[in-house]
Amino acid sequence: MATTAATDILLLFSAVLLLSTPSIAASASAPAVAAMPVQPQELLLSFKASLNDPSGALLTWSRSTPYCNWSHVTCTTAAGGGGGGGGGGGDADVAVGLSLQGLGLSGDIAAEPLCRVPGLAVLSLASNTFNQSVPLELSRCATLVSLNLSSAGLWGPLPDQLAMLASLASLDLSGNDIEGQVPPGLAALRGLQVLDLGGNRLSGVLHPALFRNLTGLHFLDLSKNQFLESELPPELGEMAGLRWLFLQGSGFTGGIPENLLQLEQLEVLDLSMNSLTGALPPAFGHNFRKLLSLDLSQNGFSGPFPNEIDKCVMLQRFQVQGNGFTGELPAGLWSLPDLRVIRAENNRFSGRLPELSAAASRLEQVQVDNNSFSGEIPRSIGMVRTMYRFTASANQLAGSLPDTLCDSPAMSIINVSGNSLSGDIPEFTSCRRLVSLSLSGNALTGPIPASLGGLPVLTYIDVSSNGLTGAIPAELQSLKLALLNVSYNHLTGRVPPSLVSGVLPAVFLQGNPGLCGGPGLPANGGCDAPPSTNHHQGLALAATVASFVTGVLLMALGAFAVCRRLHGGGDTTKLVLFYPIKITGDELLAALHDKNVIGRGAFGKVYLIELQDGQNVAAKKLIGSGNQTFRAVKNHMKILGKIRHKNIARLLGFCYSQGGEVSVIYEHLKMGSLQDLICAPKFTVGWNDRLRIAIGVAQGLVYLHHDYTIRLLHRDLKSSNVLLGDDFEPKVAGIGIDRVVGDKAYRSSLASDLNYSCYIAPEVNYTKKPTHLMDVYSFGVILLELITGKPAEQPASDDSVDIVRWVRRRINVTDGSSQILDPVDVSHAAQQGMQAALELALRCTSVMPDQRPAMDEVVRSLQLLHSPQTLPLPPSFTGVALEP
Ligand SMILES: *[C@@H]1O[C@H](CO)[C@@H](O)[C@H](O)[C@H]1NC(C)=O
Ligand SMILES: *[C@@H]1O[C@H](CO)[C@@H](O)[C@H](O)[C@H]1NC(C)=O
Ligand SMILES: *[C@@H]1O[C@H](CO)[C@@H](O)[C@H](O)[C@H]1NC(C)=O
Ligand SMILES: *[C@@H]1O[C@H](CO)[C@@H](O)[C@H](O)[C@H]1NC(C)=O
Ligand SMILES: *[C@@H]1O[C@H](CO)[C@@H](O)[C@H](O)[C@H]1NC(C)=O
Ligand SMILES: *[C@@H]1O[C@H](CO)[C@@H](O)[C@H](O)[C@H]1NC(C)=O
Ligand SMILES: *[C@@H]1O[C@H](CO)[C@@H](O)[C@H](O)[C@H]1NC(C)=O
Ligand SMILES: *[C@@H]1O[C@H](CO)[C@@H](O)[C@H](O)[C@H]1NC(C)=O
Ligand SMILES: *[C@@H]1O[C@H](CO)[C@@H](O)[C@H](O)[C@H]1NC(C)=O
Ligand SMILES: *[C@@H]1O[C@H](CO)[C@@H](O)[C@H](O)[C@H]1NC(C)=O
């Protein structure tokens, strides 16, 4: 939850009120019993004594300071008398909060002394690595209002005794390995407002009393407990104040109970990834006036979708993909005023897609692939100014492509393949952001429009399996393509040479008898008048063609290009290439020589290799890859080898030797890495180009995180892994090494690489599973490098802090950013852009993972800074340095 901090403060405050009511204050301040009352600070020190605190987060806890001044301790008084009163008597009206989340703590949670701290109201031990069961003694913390033990490494059953925490308003036990039943006794916690048990191993049936009695709950999360196997309890409908309900991925079966429809306060309803079946009750949606997000995806729902969804006037996300819904999508859905996302793919919806009110609609994403929609593509789809993705593949859409299809200034992805569209491909000219255009498997005719060559970021074009005629326009050569599939059309003439020269891009041409001059095609076959190339070039081309042929065809089938066995020192070594580059295994082995080393990282040295044809590639010899079989390595590499994105460096192949040693071959870019650039004596690249680098890197990460068929994490993002091409177009390298060396070896190598530790998110040491937010952190560090023009490890020569700390300190000291922004470009616009980027970078490098933005949001924010009107200045201008 984004509101955590605020919620905690509120809770703390309400605890204060509670404690200051006369009856409770009286009972708490009548301590004249037998034993000497132990000072709270002694209790806290005794609690601390059983903890392991490797990072020294609790060093300030000492007898010489009042405990209210200790780090991670907050004291709040009811009468507003200041928080410094710790240590003395009269603490009964002080509410104490302990916020120990994310400190790398382990050891034993000594709940017994802790719970005797008077007024302990808020306790968070979240995101630490305790390895124990939920401490029973916590049930004695009678004044506790908020208990957060999420992702704390807890296991075992959930003790019934927690029901004794009568003041509890918020209980978060998510992300542990807690097992067994949810104790029905928790129903006694009548004041509970937040209950989060998501991501555990809870099982059994949920007791109805839980829902009947917890009527004050507004947040309930039972998601990702795959053994819960229960029907949705009708009593859920009695929790009238429920605003957030997360039940996804928990094995729920059966239908949606009618009672659920009464929850008028619902803002988020997530029932996705269960085994729910049946039709939705016809009144579904009628009472959901406040619903912002509905997710019913990946279940077994069937029947039509109720029209009452049009009452959900606040709805932003509608996700019902992966069910068996039939009939039309309710007409009212499309005109909901705030709707951003419609995901309805993989259902059996039919009917027409309606025209939208382009002026009023705020839709960003419409995904309706694999249904039975018919009729034409609405003209208005591309005119909605926020539309970013429109995919409607595998339907029965007919008619022609609207020429307005990507008039939206945001439109990036269009996939209408596998329909019955006919007519010409229109001259798309205003698609400034179009990245991917898939029109394959239709009945389109006419030529491929030359205007496609003028779309600035178009990267994927698939127009295969249509009836297109004419030549492949030479203009396409000006695109930075990752994939061009024109196979199975009636194209003729010569393939423009730069589309098929060099290693890249991946071009698929087969099934066009009239084409010539490309891989797998006759050199001159269908071409009447070959252009006047000299004889020599023709031969060279033919030779290239021959060597490309196998590779490219095999790649089209998703298989390997080449796999050669070599014999070196008695061992069998296997070389696998995903692109037909000219290298033999012997040459590769010979080139892995110290004189060719161009870099070193945590996972091994990087070598520069010159191929027979003069091209350069880079090879990284992985250390610590010892124990994986060829098969396992091959499978991982295959996933990485299929990535095609203009901002991701291509994996060209790899070499595996019997001992399990793996060398990975990447494309190499002449300009070197971003780190080289930053560490050069003068880093004089202008802000516009730096922004372009940032956007490119961010786009590459979005692709890995969200758009590639398998969700990938980078996990080793740093400026030396950002390679730079022409015009500073970046390519991210070094992806997915963790998959090859295994997680354990990966983590230990990373930990040993002190030079780069500043790119690693602080939570890495105490989180079991790596997350995309760790990549966001690393990206934030790179963004800071671009903004400050300083290297990440040691931005200031007289100080050994890393860039994140350096920047934060300066912001604190100077109360502003004037001394942080690189003065390379002092124009007002650039300084403003840098300032905005700085704010974004600070969010990305937030210590709290949940405060970091996702990469797609980062891209959108950065693109806003890159105003389309400002054309890039010629290099001579952007290179001007204005160092003080
Ligand atoms: C518990 O702590 C974690 C980590 O700090 C935080 O993400 C989560 O929102 C907290 N839970 C509640 C209910 O505040
Ligand atoms: C404790 O904090 C209070 C309020 O912030 C401050 O006035 C006081 O000087 C601090 N005491 C010590 C010993 O640091
Ligand atoms: C937790 O403790 C058990 C037994 O004490 C040990 O086998 C296990 O490896 C520990 N787990 C972690 C993650 O440290
Ligand atoms: C639920 O509330 C009722 C009274 O409203 C009470 O009698 C019952 O004991 C409660 N159930 C549990 C399990 O606490
Ligand atoms: C298409 O959707 C149906 C459900 O209606 C699903 O069973 C099928 O797997 C989907 N096909 C693809 C290729 O995803
Ligand atoms: C377009 O849709 C087709 C069919 O659903 C799918 O196979 C293809 O991968 C999609 N293309 C892109 C670029 O996502
Ligand atoms: C190119 O298009 C053909 C025909 O639609 C298809 O069989 C092939 O898989 C496509 N290749 C790629 C890499 O998308
Ligand atoms: C490979 O496995 C052996 C024994 O299982 C172990 O001793 C060795 O450390 C492992 N090597 C690596 C690089 O993980
Ligand atoms: C993780 O722990 C290691 C040692 O245990 C430490 O050197 C490193 O700085 C820690 N990393 C982070 C990001 O805190
Ligand atoms: C900057 O100041 C804030 C509060 O004013 C503090 O929490 C933070 O730790 C400071 N950062 C550094 C790096 O000193």
Side-chain angles (χ1 to χ4, degrees), residues 276-280 294-306 318-330 333 342-351 353 367-374 391-396:
L276 297 169
T277 51
L280 300 183
L294 171 68
D295 195 344
L296 303 178
S297 63
Q298 313 298 349
N299 277 292
F301 289 119
S302 55
F305 202 95
F318 174 84
Q319 294 173 264
V320 302
Q321 71 271 23
N323 281 290
F325 286 116
T326 50
E328 300 201 9
L329 272 176
L333 175 70
I342 294 184
R343 291 197 57 184
E345 68 269 23
N346 301 335
N347 277 291
R348 296 200 300 276
F349 286 115
S350 55
L353 300 174
Q367 291 177 248
V368 295
D369 314 69
N370 185 23
N371 280 288
S372 299
F373 288 108
S374 53
T391 67
S393 67
N395 278 289
Q396 288 139 33

Side-chain angles (χ1 to χ4, degrees), residues 440-441 461-466 483-488 506 508-510 552 555-558 644:
S440 86
I461 304 178
D462 187 350
V463 294
S464 63
S465 301
N466 278 291
L483 178 105
L484 174 64
N485 196 344
V486 299
S487 55
Y488 303 103
F508 299 87
L509 305 164
Q510 71 269 32
V552 172
M555 257 170 47
L557 299 171
R644 304 264 184 287

Side-chain angles (χ1 to χ4, degrees), residues 573-579 581 583 588-589 591-592 598-599 603-609 611 616-625 633-634 636-643 649-657 660-668 716 721 723 732-741:
T573 299
K574 299 192 181 84
L575 174 66
V576 177
L577 296 178
F578 303 118
Y579 288 87
I581 56 172
I583 188 166
L588 177 67
L589 294 179
L592 298 180
I598 51 168
F603 306 102
K605 296 177 185 168
V606 182
Y607 302 83
L608 179 68
I609 302 175
L611 303 179
N616 287 328
V617 298
K620 186 178 238 178
K621 189 167 163 188
L622 299 182
I623 44 180
S625 55
V633 172
K634 185 181 77 174
H636 294 322
M637 289 293 180
K638 222 163 142 179
I639 291 169
L640 303 177
K642 281 195 206 161
I643 302 177
R650 263 152 251 249
L651 178 79
L652 305 175
F654 71 97
C655 183
Y656 180 94
S657 70
E661 204 165 70
V662 179
S663 302
V664 192
I665 309 170
Y666 293 103
E667 69 178 306
H668 176 260
D716 189 21
N721 269 336
L723 309 179
V732 177
I735 293 154
I737 302 292
D738 55 316
R739 291 179 161 255
V740 180
V741 301

Side-chain angles (χ1 to χ4, degrees), residues 169-480:
S170 169
L171 176 60
D172 187 346
L173 293 164
S174 60
N176 287 291
D177 282 319
I178 297 172
E179 54 195 17
Q181 253 207 315
V182 180
L186 289 189
L189 298 174
R190 305 295 292 263
L192 212 53
Q193 296 170 14
V194 173
L195 177 59
D196 192 345
L197 302 175
N200 279 292
R201 302 162 62 81
L202 296 166
S203 56
V205 175
L206 295 165
H207 198 287
L210 279 171
F211 306 102
R212 218 180 289 130
N213 281 23
L214 297 181
T215 47
L217 222 49
H218 54 69
F219 179 102
L220 175 61
D221 189 339
L222 297 170
S223 66
K224 291 176 270 174
N225 280 285
Q226 52 176 332
F227 308 111
L228 261 184
E229 291 176 25
S230 178
E231 296 215 337
L232 290 177
E235 291 80 6
L236 275 173
E238 282 159 44
M239 306 172 118
L242 215 48
R243 290 161 63 191
W244 293 282
L245 181 55
F246 295 95
L247 300 176
Q248 70 274 22
S250 287
F252 285 106
T253 56
I256 292 193
E258 287 277 350
N259 279 358
L260 192 77
L261 311 186
Q262 303 164 8
L263 296 175
E264 293 184 352
Q265 303 299 322
L266 269 189
E267 290 174 25
V268 178
L269 175 59
D270 192 343
L271 301 174
S272 62
M273 296 180 289
N274 283 299
S275 305
L276 297 169
T277 51
L280 300 183
F284 186 91
H286 184 81
N287 292 324
F288 295 163
R289 311 270 158 131
K290 297 186 174 167
L291 196 65
L292 300 172
S293 173
L294 171 68
D295 195 344
L296 303 178
S297 63
Q298 313 298 349
N299 277 292
F301 289 119
S302 55
F305 202 95
N307 284 322
E308 294 295 298
I309 192 74
D310 64 3
K311 303 294 188 313
C312 305
V313 289
M314 312 264 288
L315 197 65
Q316 297 184 359
R317 303 180 69 88
F318 174 84
Q319 294 173 264
V320 302
Q321 71 271 23
N323 281 290
F325 286 116
T326 50
E328 300 201 9
L329 272 176
L333 175 70
W334 296 92
S335 47
L336 288 175
D338 245 349
L339 196 65
R340 316 290 162 88
V341 175
I342 294 184
R343 291 197 57 184
E345 68 269 23
N346 301 335
N347 277 291
R348 296 200 300 276
F349 286 115
S350 55
R352 302 170 70 94
L353 300 174
E355 288 294 344
L356 306 171
S357 157
S361 177
R362 304 179 73 176
L363 275 169
E364 294 169 8
Q365 256 184 68
V366 173
Q367 291 177 248
V368 295
D369 314 69
N370 185 23
N371 280 288
S372 299
F373 288 108
S374 53
E376 299 195 0
I377 298 176
R379 257 189 90 71
S380 47
I381 277 282
M383 295 157 76
V384 175
R385 293 192 58 79
T386 43
M387 190 70 74
Y388 160 77
R389 177 194 296 243
F390 174 65
T391 67
S393 67
N395 278 289
Q396 288 139 33
L397 300 172
S400 53
L401 285 167
D403 55 3
T404 50
L405 192 55
C406 51
D407 281 4
S408 151
M411 185 69 96
S412 301
I413 299 172
I414 294 175
N415 190 347
V416 291
S417 62
N419 282 290
S420 307
L421 302 166
S422 54
D424 287 359
I425 301 177
E427 295 279 343
F428 293 127
T429 48
S430 48
C431 314
R432 310 311 292 170
R433 295 261 194 267
L434 190 64
V435 173
S436 174
L437 178 64
S438 306
L439 306 174
S440 86
N442 281 291
L444 299 169
T445 50
I448 299 175
S451 57
L452 287 184
L455 305 187
V457 294
L458 188 56
T459 314
Y460 304 79
I461 304 178
D462 187 350
V463 294
S464 63
S465 301
N466 278 291
L468 302 174
T469 51
I472 301 176
E475 285 80 358
L476 296 189
Q477 295 177 115
S478 54
L479 295 175
K480 298 204 171 87

